[in-house]
Amino acid sequence: MGEVRKVQKKLRQIENLEIKISLAPEERFKISRKAELRSRLAELLLQQSGPQYTLGTVAEGNKEKMKRQVVDAPEDLPSQTPTASKIPKGERQPKAQAAPAQQSASQRQTAPGRDGDGDGGARRTQPDTGPQGTRVSDPQPPPAGSDARPATPTTDVGNQPQAEQQDTEFASLKATWEKTKFRLRLLEGHTDIVTCVVAIDNVVISGSRDTTVKVWHVPTATQQRNLGGHSGGVTCLSAPPPEYCRKLARSLSLSEKDRFILSGSADCCVKIWSLSTGQCVKSIYTFNAVTALCFVPEGHGYIIAGSDGGKVQGWSWQTLESCQSINAHHEAVTSIQAQGPLVFSGSVEGDVCVWENLCSEREPLRLLQHWDSQVTGCRGGQGSRLVLSPRGDRLFLGHGRAFIRVLNWRTGSMSRLTNHSSLSGVTDCIHQTPGLLIGSCYDLANGQSTLNMFSLPQCRYVTSLTSADVPRILCFAAWLTGSGGHRWVTGGQSLVVWEQLPASAKQRGDVTVRRDSRLDASLLESEGDTDEDEDSYDEDGEEEKDCQSQDATEGESSSWFRCVLQ
C-alpha cells in the first residue's frame, strides 16, 4: 500500500500543477512523468485486486480492517452515535467509541423506512455560548426525528410492505437511469479554469480564474453577457431567490423582473451584478480574498462569505452594510452552504462549523456546532478542498478522496459512501437535485471523470455517467426543464452542458451509462475506522525531497484551491 499511496500523491501534485497559470522547468518535468506514473499506479492496483485487496477492506500497516456493509438501511448510515461533545474552537475532539452493531443484514432489510432528515433547519437548538461564541454548556440530546435516534425494533412485520415499496421504487429509479441518454454541448468563451457555476432557469452563470463572470443561454448554447470587473480570479457565485431580487430591484429603481448574481473573487471583492443590464450594482471590499459565498434567504436576507484567512463575514441584503465578521477557521474557507436558517462552513484544515441565523441586523450568525478534522476525518493536506452539501441532520462532505463522508452535524457521528471503486478516485464536488445525490469523481490512474448518482434519502447507489470528452469536474449545477428532464452544467478545464434526451429519442447519447457493482454497498465506518489518508504516511527520501521542492516553489499554493487564487 505504501508505494500505491506515493504514486497517488505524486499524481495529485501533478494534477494541481497542471491548472497553474505558469510553470517552472522542474514542474514541467514532473508533469511529463504523468503517463509513466499512471501506468505504474494501474499496475500496482491490478496486483492488489485479488482476494487480499477488496473494496470492503482498508489496509493499515500489516493488518486489514473489514468495513461493515449497509444492505438496506438508508437512514441508519450514522449508526455510530458518539457523545455530542461541543468543543471550544481549537481544541481537539476525542474520537468517539463506536457502539457494536446490533442488527444483522436481514434485520435491516425488514426495518421500517425512516426519513432521517429530521426537521433540519426548522429546529433551532439553543446552546449557551461564551463571549466569543464558544460553547460552555453540556450537549443537548438530539431532537426527535434526527439521524441520531435509536433504531426501531425490526420485528414488526407490519412495516414490511413499506420496505418492499422502497425497494420497488429504487428498482424503478435504477432501471430508468440505466436507459437514460445525455447530449453534451461545450460552452466556449473562458480562457482559464472554470471555478464555479450556478443555474437560473435556462441561464447558466459561470465564474473563472480568467477574472470574468459569463452568462449563457443554455438552449442556444450562446454567451449572453460577459461581466468583467474583477481584477482577480472569480472563486464563487451565488444566486439570491426571485423575491429578494425584487426587493433589491425596487431599492435601485430597476425592473422587478431583474435577477441578480453574487460573485466573490481573489481581488477581495464581493460584487452584485444585474443580469438584465450586465452592470455591477454594488461592490463590497472584504480585505481578504473571497473563497466561498452563499445567500441566506431568511428575514431580510444575508450575504455570507468566507475568506482565504478563515473569516466568515455577513452583510445585510436590506442595507448592504457589514453586520458581522468572525475568525471562524484557522485556514481558508472552501465552502459555505445554507439550509433554512442554518449556515454550514468548511475549511482547508477539514473542520466544519454550523451556524444559526438569528435574523438580526447585528451579528446574525451564532455558532451551534464545531467539528474538527479529528471528527470529520477530512484532514488538510496537499490538494485538500472541503466541499459541503447539507440535507437535514446530515452533511455530505467531499475532500478529494474516493469516499463521500456523511456527518450527522448534531451528534458528530460519521459514515461514508463509496464514490469510487479504488483509492485512486478523487471526489471534487457534491450536488443534490430532486431525488438524487450526485458526486463527481476523477480517476488519478486513467484521467477519467465520472458522475455517480445515489438515491435520496436512502443514499443507495443508482448508476454512473461518464464521457471521454469531459475533463476533471471541479464544479457542478443542475436543474429540471419544463418537461421534467435534467439539465446539468459542469466546469473545470472546460464548461459543458449535459442535456437529457427524451426517452423516445432515436439519436445516440454522448454519455456512457454504466453501473459499477462494487459501489452497490455503502461502506459504514466507526469513528476510529477512518480510511487511509494518502498524505499521512512517511515517505522515502525521494518523495520527501519532491514535496520539499514543490513546497519551495509553490509555498501554500500546491492545492487546487490555492491555484485558483493565483
Side-chain angles (χ1 to χ4, degrees):
M1 284 296 293
E3 187 174 358
V4 170
R5 293 180 193 154
K6 291 177 184 178
V7 176
Q8 287 175 335
K9 185 170 184 178
K10 288 181 178 180
L11 282 170
R12 282 195 176 92
Q13 293 173 351
I14 288 173
E15 296 292 345
N16 291 327
L17 288 174
E18 284 189 319
I19 60 176
K20 289 185 64 178
I21 294 177
S22 60
L23 295 172
E26 59 269 24
E27 293 171 336
R28 295 183 184 278
F29 173 74
K30 288 182 180 180
I31 291 176
S32 70
R33 297 185 58 204
K34 181 176 179 178
E36 174 191 343
L37 290 172
R38 276 186 176 172
S39 177
R40 179 56 180 162
L41 178 58
E43 179 183 347
L44 292 171
L45 292 175
L46 182 62
Q47 292 173 0
Q48 297 179 335
S49 62
Q52 75 280 6
Y53 185 82
T54 63
L55 178 63
T57 305
V58 174
E60 182 183 25
N62 294 323
K63 70 176 181 178
E64 294 176 341
K65 295 184 288 186
M66 297 300 296
K67 305 296 181 182
R68 292 170 293 152
Q69 293 185 350
V70 178
V71 177
D72 188 12
E75 298 307 325
D76 286 345
L77 283 174
S79 64
Q80 308 301 329
T81 310
T83 302
S85 300
K86 299 179 180 179
I87 57 174
K89 186 167 175 56
E91 293 186 10
R92 299 174 67 85
Q93 173 78 9
K95 292 188 177 181
Q97 299 296 322
Q102 299 296 325
Q103 292 179 309
S104 65
S106 61
Q107 288 174 323
R108 291 171 190 252
Q109 287 179 333
T110 60
R114 303 193 306 271
D115 187 356
D117 294 336
D119 52 14
R123 185 181 303 275
R124 301 185 181 184
T125 56
Q126 301 291 336
D128 295 330
T129 57
Q132 300 301 322
T134 303
R135 292 161 304 282
V136 297
S137 66
D138 292 330
Q140 299 297 320
S146 73
D147 285 345
R149 64 180 182 270
T152 303
T154 60
T155 56
D156 185 3
V157 295
N159 287 317
Q160 182 65 27
Q162 184 176 354
E164 293 178 353
Q165 181 181 358
Q166 290 179 347
D167 288 341
T168 301
E169 292 174 352
F170 176 76
S172 175
L173 176 68
K174 185 170 65 172
T176 299
W177 277 101
E178 286 175 348
K179 298 176 182 178
T180 193
K181 292 183 287 186
F182 276 84
R183 173 71 66 216
L184 300 184
R185 288 182 294 170
L186 183 65
L187 301 181
E188 297 182 283
H190 284 297
T191 59
D192 210 328
I193 300 291
V194 177
T195 59
C196 45
V197 291
V198 295
I200 303 175
D201 299 326
N202 284 323
V203 174
V204 163
I205 300 94
S206 58
S208 170
R209 203 173 58 183
D210 64 10
T211 76
T212 66
V213 176
K214 294 185 183 295
V215 183
W216 310 85
H217 183 244
V218 174
T220 58
T222 58
Q223 179 180 317
Q224 286 186 328
R225 296 194 180 279
N226 178 48
L227 309 181
H230 284 295
S231 59
V234 179
T235 57
C236 45
L237 295 168
S238 184
E243 58 270 26
Y244 288 90
C245 290
R246 286 193 290 269
K247 292 179 182 179
L248 181 61
R250 284 194 295 265
S251 68
L252 298 174
S253 299
L254 297 174
S255 169
E256 292 192 7
K257 295 182 180 180
D258 204 351
R259 295 297 299 269
F260 298 93
I261 195 76
L262 309 175
S263 64
S265 168
D267 64 7
C268 307
C269 286
V270 172
K271 292 184 181 293
I272 305 175
W273 305 88
S274 165
L275 294 185
S276 63
T277 66
Q279 299 298 313
C280 175
V281 300
K282 179 69 175 180
S283 183
I284 303 171
Y285 188 73
T286 67
F287 298 96
N288 295 96
V290 181
T291 53
L293 186 66
C294 79
F295 185 86
V296 182
E298 291 289 317
H300 294 298
Y302 298 86
I303 303 170
I304 307 296
S307 77
D308 186 35
K311 281 187 177 182
V312 171
Q313 298 171 269
W315 294 267
S316 167
W317 184 247
Q318 185 178 33
T319 64
L320 297 180
E321 297 293 331
S322 175
C323 54
Q324 196 165 18
S325 180
I326 311 167
N327 291 316
H329 300 274
H330 296 298
E331 297 186 50
V333 180
T334 57
S335 183
I336 294 183
Q337 297 291 329
Q339 177 184 255
L342 299 178
V343 176
F344 301 83
S345 61
S347 69
V348 166
E349 71 259 31
D351 67 340
V352 171
C353 287
V354 185
W355 312 85
E356 182 184 23
N357 185 350
L358 303 177
C359 296
S360 169
E361 290 304 313
R362 295 189 59 188
E363 300 185 353
L365 295 183
R366 180 178 64 177
L367 185 63
L368 291 181
Q369 291 280 18
H370 170 250
W371 300 109
D372 65 12
S373 61
Q374 289 288 310
V375 175
T376 66
C378 301
R379 297 170 182 83
Q382 298 273 344
S384 61
R385 185 174 69 103
L386 181 62
V387 294
L388 311 176
S389 183
R391 181 183 176 85
D393 291 345
R394 293 181 295 179
L395 186 62
F396 298 101
L397 312 176
H399 194 247
R401 295 294 181 267
F403 299 94
I404 296 174
R405 295 184 178 274
V406 187
L407 168 68
N408 184 310
W409 60 265
R410 294 185 186 274
T411 67
S413 60
M414 291 295 305
S415 56
R416 67 184 184 184
L417 295 173
T418 305
N419 195 40
H420 197 272
S421 56
S422 79
L423 293 180
S424 64
V426 176
T427 301
D428 285 308
C429 55
I430 309 169
H431 188 87
Q432 294 180 55
T433 193
L436 290 174
L437 174 71
I438 303 173
S440 74
C441 192
Y442 179 74
D443 195 321
L444 293 170
N446 57 29
Q448 186 178 64
S449 288
T450 303
L451 292 176
N452 295 321
M453 293 184 290
F454 304 86
S455 65
L456 288 174
Q458 297 89 354
C459 293
R460 295 173 65 180
Y461 171 65
V462 178
T463 193
S464 299
L465 306 180
T466 186
S467 172
D469 298 327
V470 177
R472 183 172 181 177
I473 297 171
L474 301 177
C475 51
F476 182 96
W479 70 105
L480 296 177
T481 64
S483 60
H486 286 264
R487 271 186 181 151
W488 303 341
V489 60
T490 57
Q493 294 282 2
S494 59
L495 187 62
V496 180
V497 172
W498 305 52
E499 183 162 8
Q500 185 179 8
L501 298 176
S504 58
K506 295 183 179 180
Q507 64 263 46
R508 186 174 180 179
D510 299 328
V511 172
T512 301
V513 182
R514 59 176 176 80
R515 296 197 81 256
D516 187 341
S517 60
R518 293 169 293 183
L519 303 187
D520 278 328
S522 301
L523 299 188
L524 178 68
E525 64 179 3
S526 70
E527 196 68 19
D529 292 336
T530 56
D531 61 316
E532 300 297 328
D533 188 340
E534 287 86 350
D535 296 333
S536 64
Y537 61 93
D538 294 330
E539 296 138 347
D540 58 20
E542 178 184 359
E543 178 72 11
E544 185 174 353
K545 182 178 179 181
D546 285 347
C547 292
Q548 291 175 350
S549 173
Q550 178 159 330
D551 288 342
T553 57
E554 299 179 53
E556 293 283 330
S557 63
S558 57
S559 70
W560 173 89
F561 180 73
R562 296 287 181 178
C563 288
V564 168
L565 297 181
Q566 292 183 354

